[in-house]
């Protein structure tokens, strides 16, 4: 494949990923606006997302059947996806959107650690360094308080699960179309959360959302989940799990900017925010340059 065609494909995928991350940045705000519990919220989210993808397949007459073995693998990955989202929204409700997004920034560091182990490749010191800089940058944006310990733990475990399913999806997408992966994983997440509810509080414990919540849940389930999830998985055909995780760290920056625009919360736009955002942005955009220089140095 000619290098200019490769570059065009890379640039297109990067643009799609940035747009996807921008949409993900809005989920934290929706999580705070929706009044129901984290488990209830994610149950409705994945149900709406799975159903919307099913309608998409039927409307476009798209074949989406897979072998039992492959379907089971994707459904098991869906357990990681569901766990990530439950812990993400639980972290928001146990702390704040900013604190949760700080924790989410650690995806880069976890991916730098886990990807070489899962894909059996050498650990990149440059990736680990970039991951550390990301965590430092995001931490500068916000001030932690000891009362948010449970929220911080939930957020960090959520980041671990997100890192794991992103690496796994990087392998799935080489063989299966992204919308099909999204459908089976989100349906799997719906199944596992339903089984969890049956084994704990029962389906009677599901809260019927208020009218205002229904609108937010529909937006969360369609645009912020089915559409964004498909887009996020599709780019992994060209981009590594680490590169995706690196750009995903813009989610806190986008999220805080949107919170400022929607809620006019000027306190979030402090000097710490701009300093942290500068480190995050610099790391994200300078990483490919540093990686290229390291490759050139090795090839000498």
């Amino acid at each position: 494949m000619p290098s200019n065609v490769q570059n065009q494909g890379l640039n297109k995928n990067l643009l799609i990923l940035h747009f996807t991350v921008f949409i993900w940045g809005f989920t934290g705000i929706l999580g705070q606006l929706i009044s129901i519990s984290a488990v209830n919220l994610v149950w409705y989210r994945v149900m709406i997302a799975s159903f919307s993808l099913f309608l998409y397949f039927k409307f476009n007459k798209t074949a989406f059947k897979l072998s039992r073995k492959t379907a089971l693998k994707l459904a098991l990955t869906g357990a990681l996806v569901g766990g990530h989202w439950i812990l993400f929204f639980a972290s928001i409700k146990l702390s704040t959107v900013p604190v949760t997004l700080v924790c989410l920034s650690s995806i880069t560091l976890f991916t730098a650690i886990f990807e070489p182990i899962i894909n059996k490749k050498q650990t990149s010191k440059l990736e680990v360094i970039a991951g550390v800089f990301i965590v430092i940058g995001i931490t500068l944006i916000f001030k932690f308080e000891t009362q948010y310990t449970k929220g911080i733990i939930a957020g960090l475990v959520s980041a671990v699960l997100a890192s794991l399913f992103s690496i796994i999806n990087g392998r799935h997408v080489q063989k299966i179309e992204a919308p099909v992966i999204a459908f089976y994983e989100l349906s799997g997440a719906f199944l596992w959360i339903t089984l969890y509810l049956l084994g704990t509080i029962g389906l009677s414990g599901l809260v019927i959302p208020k009218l205002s919540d229904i609108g937010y849940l529909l937006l969360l389930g369609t645009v912020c989940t089915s559409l964004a999830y498909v887009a996020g998985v599709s780019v992994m055909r060209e981009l590594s799990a680490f590169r995706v995780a690196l750009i995903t760290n813009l989610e806190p920056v986008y999220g805080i900017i949107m919170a400022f625009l929607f809620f006019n919360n000027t306190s979030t736009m402090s000097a710490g925010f701009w300093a942290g955002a500068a480190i995050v942005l610099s790391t994200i955009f300078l990483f490919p340059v540093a990686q290229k220089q390291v490759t050139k140095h090795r090839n000498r």
Side-chain angles (χ1 to χ4, degrees):
M1 186 183 290
S3 60
N4 62 330
V5 175
Q6 275 188 324
N7 288 334
Q8 284 178 359
L10 180 64
N11 291 335
K12 180 185 176 183
N13 282 298
L14 285 172
L15 187 64
I16 291 170
L17 182 57
H18 276 285
F19 177 70
T20 304
V21 172
F22 180 79
I23 292 173
W24 286 340
F26 194 63
T27 60
I29 295 170
L30 289 174
Q32 197 168 48
L33 290 171
I34 296 169
S35 61
I36 58 179
S37 70
V39 177
N40 276 261
L41 189 158
V42 177
W43 189 83
Y44 282 112
R45 177 184 189 177
V46 293
M47 180 183 66
I48 293 166
S50 301
F51 186 65
S52 63
L53 282 169
F54 179 77
L55 290 178
Y56 167 80
F57 291 139
K58 288 297 182 182
F59 183 77
N60 288 286
K61 297 179 180 178
T62 304
F64 61 96
K65 287 187 178 180
L66 297 173
S67 66
R68 285 186 182 180
K69 185 179 178 181
T70 305
L72 181 60
K73 283 182 180 178
L74 293 175
L76 288 171
T77 307
L80 297 176
V81 176
H84 157 66
W85 281 334
I86 288 172
L87 289 167
F88 173 76
F89 289 113
S91 179
I92 288 173
K93 293 181 184 298
L94 288 168
S95 56
T96 64
V97 172
V99 168
T100 301
L101 293 175
V102 170
C103 297
L104 205 63
S105 71
S106 62
I107 289 176
T108 307
L109 187 58
F110 291 129
T111 303
I113 295 167
F114 295 140
E115 189 174 21
I117 298 169
I118 294 172
N119 292 334
K120 296 177 181 178
K121 68 175 190 177
Q122 190 176 359
T123 302
S124 168
K125 291 179 182 177
L126 187 62
E127 290 184 358
V128 174
I129 292 168
V132 171
F133 269 107
I134 290 290
V135 173
I136 291 170
I138 299 293
T139 302
L140 275 178
I141 296 174
F142 311 110
K143 294 178 181 178
F144 285 112
E145 295 184 34
T146 53
Q147 70 205 55
Y148 296 139
T149 302
K150 289 182 180 178
I152 292 167
I153 292 170
L156 288 173
V157 178
S158 173
V160 170
L161 296 180
S163 171
L164 290 172
F165 76 69
S166 293
I167 296 166
I168 293 168
N169 281 342
R171 302 176 75 174
H172 285 322
V173 79
Q174 304 303 323
K175 300 175 183 178
I176 309 167
E177 292 298 319
V180 178
I181 291 173
F183 174 72
Y184 280 92
E185 288 187 351
L186 294 172
S187 298
F190 176 72
L191 172 65
W192 294 115
I193 296 168
T194 302
L195 290 174
Y196 169 78
L197 287 170
L198 286 171
T200 53
I201 58 174
L203 289 180
S204 59
L206 277 171
V207 176
I208 298 173
K210 296 185 294 187
L211 191 60
S212 59
D213 284 342
I214 291 172
Y216 292 138
L217 283 166
L218 287 171
L219 180 60
L220 182 65
T222 53
V223 177
C224 298
T225 305
S226 55
L227 176 64
Y229 197 83
V230 169
V233 172
S234 67
V235 299
M236 298 193 80
R237 232 168 221 177
E238 300 292 335
L239 305 176
S240 69
F242 179 80
R243 190 78 176 271
V244 171
L246 189 71
I247 295 172
T248 300
N249 283 288
L250 282 171
E251 183 179 340
V253 180
Y254 291 148
I256 294 304
I257 291 172
M258 279 189 277
F260 169 69
L261 293 174
F262 279 90
F263 305 120
N264 195 28
N265 189 355
T266 53
S267 63
T268 59
M269 309 301 283
S270 62
F273 170 83
W274 294 114
I279 292 175
V280 172
L281 291 169
S282 298
T283 305
I284 289 169
F285 291 110
L286 291 177
F287 175 80
V289 178
Q291 194 177 43
K292 194 173 181 179
Q293 291 301 317
V294 169
T295 304
K296 277 185 180 179
H297 181 74
R298 284 177 181 170
N299 293 335
R300 282 178 185 175

